[in-house]
Amino acid sequence: MTKLPDHLAPDHHRALVQSVRDPVNMKYLRRFMTDFAKDPGQISDEQVHWLYDQGFLPEKIELYDFDTHDIRLFLSDLQRWMTREVNGDYSIVFNNKILFTQVFRNFCRVAPINAIWRNGRIIPYDDVWEKCVTGQLDEPRKFVIKPLGGGGGGNVYFVQVGKKRAVIESNEEGRERFTLPVDRMMEIFKGAKVPFMVNEFVYQGSFSKSLYPLTVNTVRMLVVRDPETLLPHVVRTVQRMGTSASYPIDNFTLGGLSAEIDVETGVVGPAVAAAGPYKGTFWDHHPNTGEPISGQVVPNWQAIIEEMKTLFLQVPYIAYCGFDLILMDDGVVVLEGNSYSQVRLFQMHRPLLTDPVYVKVLDHYGIYRREYSAGDDKA
Amino acid sequence: METFVPKGQRPPGVFPAHPRVIYKTKRKNLSHEGRIGRIDRQETLDVFRAFSEGFHAHLPRLDPELGGYLHNHGFMPDKGALYGLPNEALDSYLSDFQAMILPLANGLNLPATANRLLSWPLMRRVLPLAPRAGAWQRGRLQQITEGGDPTPGETLLARPAETAQGPVPAPNQNQDKHLAWHDRLPAPPDAARNSHAADRLFLRLPAGSDQAEVIRIALLCDPQGNRPTVLSAALLEAGSGFATTSGAPVTCRRIDPETGLAGPALRFLRDTIAAPETVDPRGRALPGWWPAVTALVSGLLRLPVWAVLQADVIEVDGQPLIIDLTDRLDAAALQVHGPIMGGETAVRFIREYGV
C-alpha cells in the first residue's frame, strides 16, 4: 500500500462529504446518494459504508486498485462531480460544442463545423452539406455527426459521402451500418430529439493510426491552472484506443482502451478497459491488432505539451479542462474540451491526488477539505 | 419614530401568524422521485443524508435495481415487501423520507414539537395527557409530581425526549415490561450526562393500562379551514402499542376516520420483512374513537402549534388518555393496510407545506 503523502489530510474524503452545505454542491451530494443506491457494483456489506462515507460509487471497487493504492489518493465520485463548478460560468465554452469551436479555433486547430441539425432542419455553416445532398462533391468526403451536448460517445455517426450514396456507420444499436442516397441524408437524424453537429472528419497522424486504424484514437489531457502561479499544469495524460467492442469510436465507457502517457517523457504505458471484453487486463499489445502499446513513445511529445500549455494561457478564464486531442503528424487538433473530465480513464492506472498541484487546485475551489467538524458551520 | 421595514419583511420581534412555509408545490410534482430531485435546502438534505445512511445500514444489500428504486423514492428496504412495492399507488404512500421531513412543517414550533420534554408540559393544558412522573435531562433526574399520589399497580412508561428516536426500553426493565411504579424513579446512567440522546420522559400509567389497545391517530393541519384533520388512524392491539423495541411484532387494524370502525387485523414485524398475517377478518366499532378525536381536535384548536402530529390514545374509565405525542408519523403501522397520502387533505397539505 502506498504511503499517504504529506499534502493529503488523513480523513479528507469524509471531511468533504460531511462539509457539503451550499446548494450547488448539495445537488452533487444528492446525486451521489441516489446513484450509490442503484449502482450495480458488487460490494460486500463492509464495503458499503467504507465507500459511501468517502464519496465513491460501488463500481469503483472493481475499477480502482484499492489494494495497491490508498483510497485517499483517489479523486472520489463526489469530487469529480464538484469539479464541474471550477470553470464557473465559463463552463459553457466546453458544454456547447459550437461555442467551443468558435472560441478555440482562434488559438489552435479544431475540427471545422459544416452544419448543425436542429428541430428537423439543417443549418449550414458552409456549402459542404448542400454539395453533399445535391451530389456536387468533387471527391468523396467523410464527416462525423455527433450530438451537440453531452459526452459518453452515444449516437456518433461516421458518414462517407460519394456522388450518389452515403455510407453511415454508428454505434447506435440496430443502425450499425447503413446506406442512403445522398438526397435522403437527412434520414440520419430520424427520430433524433437533440441537436447534432456535422464536422469534417479529421484524419489522425501515423502514430495514433498505428495503435488501432479503425477508429480515431484520441489523447485525453487533464490540464489545470495553478491557483498561486496561474500557470497551466498538466496533471495526467492518456492515449485512448478503439477496440472491436467500441468501434467505430474509441470511447472508454463503451469498451475502448486507455493507456497512460508519461507527462515528462511521452512514454506510453499498458492499456486497460473499463467495460467490454478487454476489461480486467493490462494490455502491453493491442488485443485486436497485436500492435505494441506499452513502451511506445509519442512523437514530438514535448512540443505537444508546450502547445497545450500555450493554449491554456490564451484562455485565462479556464481553470480546469480535460482536452481531447487528435495527434497529427504535424501537431494536434483539439477535438473538444471537458470541463469536468471523466477520471476513471486516469485513475484506473494510478490515483490523481498524488499530484500536489492538483490537490491545491481542488482545495482552492472547495473540492478538498482537510478536516471538518459540526462546529465549522457556526464559525 | 417609525422604523422602516422593507416590503415583504416583518418588523423585528413580530412573528408571523402561522409558521407555515408556503411552497405552492404543483400538483404534478407530488411524486416521491420529484421530491428527492428537488432537495435544495440544507435541512432537507441533512434529513435525506440521515435517511440514506439508515438505508445503507440495512444489511444485506438489496438487489441494486429494487434497492435503487426504493432509496430513490424515499422508502427503507423493508417497505418493498411490507407495501408490495413497486406498485401503481407508490406516490400515495407516505415514504420514510417524507415521514422524516414532515416535522419540518411545524416550522418555528419545531423545537417544541420534536421534544417531549417541551411538548408535554405545553400541551398538558389543552389535552388529556398521561401525568408525568419525572424526566432525565442531561444526566440529571427530575422528579415531577403530577396526577396525585401513586396508586397500586401503576406502571412507568419511558419515552425518549427526542421524537426522532425510535422506541426505547425503560431502564432496568424486565422482559419487555414496564417499570413498577414505586414512587421512585430510576437514576440516569453516567453516560447520559453529556448527551441529549439519553434524555427521557417518564409517564404514569394506571394499573393494567399497559396492556390496553392503543389508538394511533395521525393528524394534519388542513390548509383548507386551517384546522387539524385526521389523516389516518390505526388500532394497535394489546402489547403492540407499547413495543419498546423496533423489532417487536405489531398487530394493528386500520380505523376508518369517518365512522370509527376498526377493520381487519394484520400482523407484521417492523424491521424484518414478514408477510402480513390475518388474525381476525372482522371489523368492530370503537367506543373510544370519537372521544379521542374530539379531545385531540378541540385541544389542538386551542393551542395550534402542530401542523403534523401523531398521538397514541388509550381509554381509561371511558375517557381518552394520551400516552404519546410526536411529530414523526409511524408510516408502517398506518400504511400496512394501504397508502394514506392519496386523499385531498394530504395533497393540499403537501402542496401547501412542500413536504
Side-chain angles (χ1 to χ4, degrees), chain A residues 17-23 26 29-30 33-45 48-49 52-53 58, chain B residues 36-42 45-46 48-49 52-53 55-61 63-65 67-69 71-72:
Chain A
V17 172
Q18 292 301 319
S19 70
V20 170
R21 285 291 178 272
D22 63 294
M26 274 164 50
L29 181 59
R30 188 185 69 215
M33 290 191 280
T34 52
D35 280 6
F36 190 97
K38 61 187 178 190
D39 189 301
Q42 296 297 313
I43 53 175
S44 69
D45 293 345
V48 170
H49 285 285
Y52 183 85
D53 292 350
Chain B
I36 290 172
R38 288 194 308 274
I39 293 173
D40 58 358
R41 293 191 301 155
Q42 188 56 51
L45 183 75
D46 286 343
F48 186 57
R49 196 194 300 237
S52 188
E53 284 168 3
F55 185 95
H56 293 299
H58 196 283
L59 299 173
R61 288 183 87 204
D63 158 65
E65 193 176 344
Y69 176 88
H71 178 277
N72 296 341

Side-chain angles (χ1 to χ4, degrees), chain A residues 3 12 48 104 165 204 206 317 321 325-326 337 352 370:
Chain A
K3 186 175 171 284
H12 67 91
V48 170
F104 278 80
R165 301 190 73 79
Q204 63 193 334
S206 53
Y317 44 84
C321 182
L325 314 175
I326 301 176
L352 279 169
R370 293 195 69 81

Side-chain angles (χ1 to χ4, degrees), chain B:
Chain B
M1 193 175 75
E2 191 177 358
T3 309
F4 172 73
V5 179
K7 192 177 178 184
Q9 293 186 18
R10 58 180 187 272
V14 176
F15 290 93
H18 197 283
R20 190 177 301 170
V21 181
I22 297 175
Y23 290 87
K24 293 181 180 168
T25 312
K26 290 179 183 170
R27 199 180 183 96
K28 66 179 182 183
N29 289 340
L30 296 174
S31 72
H32 291 306
E33 208 166 17
R35 180 172 298 110
I36 290 172
R38 288 194 308 274
I39 293 173
D40 58 358
R41 293 191 301 155
Q42 188 56 51
E43 68 253 39
T44 322
L45 183 75
D46 286 343
V47 174
F48 186 57
R49 196 194 300 237
F51 160 78
S52 188
E53 284 168 3
F55 185 95
H56 293 299
H58 196 283
L59 299 173
R61 288 183 87 204
L62 292 179
D63 158 65
E65 193 176 344
L66 177 62
Y69 176 88
L70 291 174
H71 178 277
N72 296 341
H73 288 83
F75 290 90
M76 284 291 180
D78 58 329
K79 300 305 187 299
L82 204 58
Y83 301 160
L85 299 178
N87 65 37
E88 288 180 353
L90 174 87
D91 287 328
S92 297
Y93 281 93
L94 176 73
S95 73
D96 294 292
F97 168 61
Q98 199 179 8
M100 291 167 79
I101 58 171
L102 272 182
L104 298 177
N106 288 325
L108 296 175
N109 299 321
L110 189 61
T113 59
N115 190 314
R116 292 183 178 90
L117 297 183
L118 295 175
S119 65
W120 215 259
L122 180 70
M123 302 308 290
R124 183 165 173 70
R125 296 188 289 135
V126 294
L127 293 174
L129 303 183
R132 291 174 296 168
W136 290 350
Q137 277 183 298
R138 301 276 284 185
R140 293 194 311 272
L141 172 63
Q142 185 188 0
Q143 294 273 162
I144 303 170
T145 310
E146 277 180 2
D149 295 332
T151 54
E154 273 189 18
T155 53
L156 273 183
L157 178 62
R159 297 279 190 206
E162 294 170 345
T163 58
Q165 287 188 52
V168 291
N172 307 320
Q173 189 175 312
N174 294 321
Q175 298 178 347
D176 211 30
K177 297 291 181 188
H178 307 279
L179 287 177
W181 172 233
H182 295 303
D183 198 23
R184 284 179 64 89
L185 283 172
D190 291 341
R193 281 190 189 140
N194 299 317
S195 166
H196 284 299
D199 286 358
R200 296 283 182 272
L201 173 68
F202 293 97
L203 301 175
R204 291 171 59 184
L205 293 183
S209 57
D210 58 336
Q211 284 302 309
E213 291 180 331
V214 174
I215 299 175
R216 184 159 288 171
I217 308 175
L219 297 111
L220 297 180
C221 178
D222 189 344
Q224 190 179 67
N226 209 23
R227 54 183 291 124
T229 306
V230 176
L231 172 70
S232 179
L235 179 71
L236 306 180
E237 299 212 331
S240 296
F242 294 92
T244 53
T245 61
S246 57
V250 173
T251 306
C252 70
R253 301 166 182 267
R254 170 166 282 185
I255 301 172
D256 179 358
E258 300 294 326
T259 62
L261 285 173
L266 292 176
R267 186 177 175 83
F268 66 97
L269 271 176
R270 188 162 303 168
D271 270 346
T272 55
I273 300 166
E277 169 196 341
T278 299
V279 172
D280 178 3
R282 295 165 300 171
R284 59 184 168 91
L286 289 177
W289 170 253
W290 289 114
V293 172
T294 306
L296 274 167
V297 171
S298 60
L300 293 171
L301 280 172
R302 288 171 62 195
L303 198 53
V305 297
W306 305 77
V308 181
L309 168 71
Q310 177 181 287
D312 280 0
V313 187
I314 59 174
E315 192 180 346
V316 177
D317 298 332
Q319 296 297 316
L321 182 72
I322 295 172
I323 59 169
D324 193 26
L325 286 177
T326 176
D327 53 5
R328 304 273 169 158
L329 302 193
D330 180 356
L334 294 170
Q335 297 193 116
V336 68
H337 296 83
I340 62 172
M341 297 301 278
E344 282 302 309
T345 301
V347 170
R348 276 196 297 270
F349 183 87
I350 296 170
R351 293 183 70 193
E352 183 82 7
Y353 290 88
V355 290

Side-chain angles (χ1 to χ4, degrees), chain A residues 281-294:
Chain A
T281 305
F282 279 87
W283 299 93
D284 288 325
H285 293 76
H286 195 285
N288 298 134
T289 63
E291 283 293 319
I293 299 172
S294 194

Side-chain angles (χ1 to χ4, degrees), chain A residues 83 87 94 100 219-224 236 240 308 312 318-325 334-343 345-346:
Chain A
T83 60
N87 291 320
F94 300 119
F100 175 83
V219 165
R220 170 67 62 90
M221 182 180 285
L222 181 61
V223 188
V224 297
R236 200 66 58 85
R240 289 186 293 199
M308 293 312 296
F312 209 74
I318 300 300
Y320 190 105
C321 182
F323 288 105
D324 284 349
L325 314 175
V334 181
L335 197 58
E336 62 181 46
N338 300 274
S339 64
Y340 60 110
S341 171
Q342 179 59 267
V343 293
L345 76 177
F346 300 122

